[in-house]
Amino acid sequence: MKPYLEKVTVADDASWSMVRVPRDPTIPFEWHHHPEYELTLTLNSHGRRFVGDHVGGYDDGDLVLLGPNLPHTWSSSSKLDGGRPHLVMVIWFRPEWARGLTGLLTELRPVAGLLERSARGLKFSQDATGRVRARIEAIFDKPPADRLLDLISVLLTLAEDDAAEPLTAPSRSPSSIASSGARIDRVLDHLHAHYTDDLRIDHLARLAALSPSGFHRMFTRHTRLTLIEYVTRLRIGRACALLTEGDKPIAHIAELVGYRSLANFGRQFKALKGLTPREYRGRFAN
């Protein structure tokens, strides 16, 4: 299923957009994307969150930041309080708006890092969400200038959340490479080009000009994942895209993403996504 392009409009008295939407009886599955960043707070609701290749459960107070053009939707299953609607609060802002702020104001450099991390989608920790939830709920009833200051304050607070969880598989594009000569960049470039191959630690360590043990330390420090975890996310992420884009047999998809054993592919897919490949395909088909 291809996501549809959602058009986000901006009010005449503002430079960014927001909407507070009661949804009743459900939050429907509406697979879409848009060029804006999106900060979404979901209240009085339980269900499933779909972001790129990610499928996961969400609960009341779910707070997520999505980078531009990242396909997503929420789909509710129940409400915390049956007498009230699901409540979705969404804030959108364009990349050029964010670059203007973070490029001009040194104090907002942490926000630039937050936005870079949001390319994979970020689920914020309960602690960070608790610190900004009241501000987000109140922002919709304030005048434009106060809303802007509060949004900047919320983004600065969220930039401090080291426990924010990336949602999708790692991605690698030329625009995201800060220095092509850096050790970790050479390794990541190779992994994203060859993750379906049999990878050898000694070869990757030579690319980084490190010993195998030094390579492991560097890789974990930069990615917060082990090499096996990183490659698994690349493979399963690509498998998710193939499962939703067409009707290739699952065994063929497993082979395309680097698995020689269909059973091993199924185990790793379910461990990472909480669904079998067939169940994952079925959710998007439905």
Side-chain angles (χ1 to χ4, degrees):
M1 177 186 295
K2 290 188 176 181
Y4 71 86
L5 176 63
E6 181 179 46
K7 298 290 187 179
V8 176
T9 60
V10 180
D12 292 339
D13 62 352
S15 57
W16 50 279
S17 304
M18 63 181 187
V19 66
R20 177 171 50 192
V21 185
R23 305 299 291 263
D24 207 23
T26 65
I27 299 174
F29 186 100
E30 296 175 337
W31 188 232
H32 65 284
H33 70 104
H34 42 71
E36 293 82 8
Y37 289 93
E38 176 178 315
L39 181 65
T40 295
L41 176 64
T42 308
L43 304 177
N44 194 42
S45 187
H46 304 280
R48 303 288 281 182
R49 183 196 319 108
F50 299 77
V51 177
D53 58 48
H54 159 85
V55 178
Y58 75 87
D59 292 304
D60 176 67
D62 185 64
L63 182 62
V64 171
L65 177 64
L66 305 175
N69 296 309
L70 186 58
H72 59 278
T73 189
W74 278 247
S75 181
S76 63
S77 59
S78 64
K79 293 185 282 188
L80 197 68
D81 179 351
R84 297 166 49 232
H86 307 271
L87 185 59
V88 183
M89 298 182 173
V90 186
I91 290 169
W92 296 283
F93 50 90
R94 296 188 65 83
E96 55 267 30
W97 180 90
R99 285 195 299 269
L101 286 177
T102 59
L104 180 65
L105 302 175
T106 302
E107 295 85 353
L108 298 185
R109 284 180 183 169
V111 175
L114 171 71
L115 299 180
E116 183 177 351
R117 292 160 57 204
S118 75
R120 293 175 57 191
L122 285 176
K123 164 68 172 70
F124 293 104
S125 67
Q126 287 187 348
D127 178 65
T129 300
R131 283 185 281 142
V132 301
R133 176 170 171 168
R135 275 180 276 169
I136 294 174
E137 291 186 65
I139 204 171
F140 294 85
D141 300 315
K142 293 190 174 183
D146 292 341
R147 291 200 301 258
L148 174 61
L149 293 176
D150 279 0
L151 174 57
I152 292 173
S153 172
V154 165
L155 293 174
L156 280 169
T157 300
L158 295 178
E160 300 172 353
D161 186 13
D162 292 334
E165 176 189 355
L167 296 176
T168 71
S171 61
R172 189 74 171 164
S173 64
S175 63
S176 70
I177 301 173
S179 171
S180 60
R183 291 173 175 176
I184 189 64
D185 288 332
R186 294 197 298 270
V187 171
L188 294 180
D189 286 344
H190 182 82
L191 287 180
H192 281 257
H194 301 284
Y195 65 87
T196 62
D197 301 340
D198 291 330
L199 298 166
R200 295 176 57 88
I201 291 295
D202 56 349
H203 176 62
L204 295 173
R206 283 197 300 273
L207 280 177
L210 292 168
S211 67
S213 60
F215 166 79
H216 280 299
R217 288 193 297 271
M218 177 202 70
F219 192 87
T220 303
R221 184 174 69 252
H222 280 277
T223 67
R224 300 185 182 181
L225 297 169
T226 67
L227 176 64
I228 292 175
E229 289 170 339
Y230 193 93
V231 172
T232 298
R233 289 178 182 237
L234 287 177
R235 290 177 171 179
I236 300 302
R238 178 56 183 156
C240 288
L242 292 171
L243 285 165
T244 59
E245 289 172 359
D247 57 359
K248 290 184 177 69
I250 290 174
H252 183 44
I253 290 175
E255 184 179 352
L256 287 175
V257 300
Y259 287 95
R260 296 180 180 177
S261 164
L262 179 59
N264 185 36
F265 169 67
R267 282 193 299 270
Q268 294 201 20
F269 193 101
K270 186 166 186 179
L272 194 60
K273 298 299 176 184
L275 300 167
T276 67
R278 190 174 305 279
E279 289 168 340
Y280 185 91
R281 171 176 274 171
R283 281 191 178 270
F284 279 85
N286 292 331

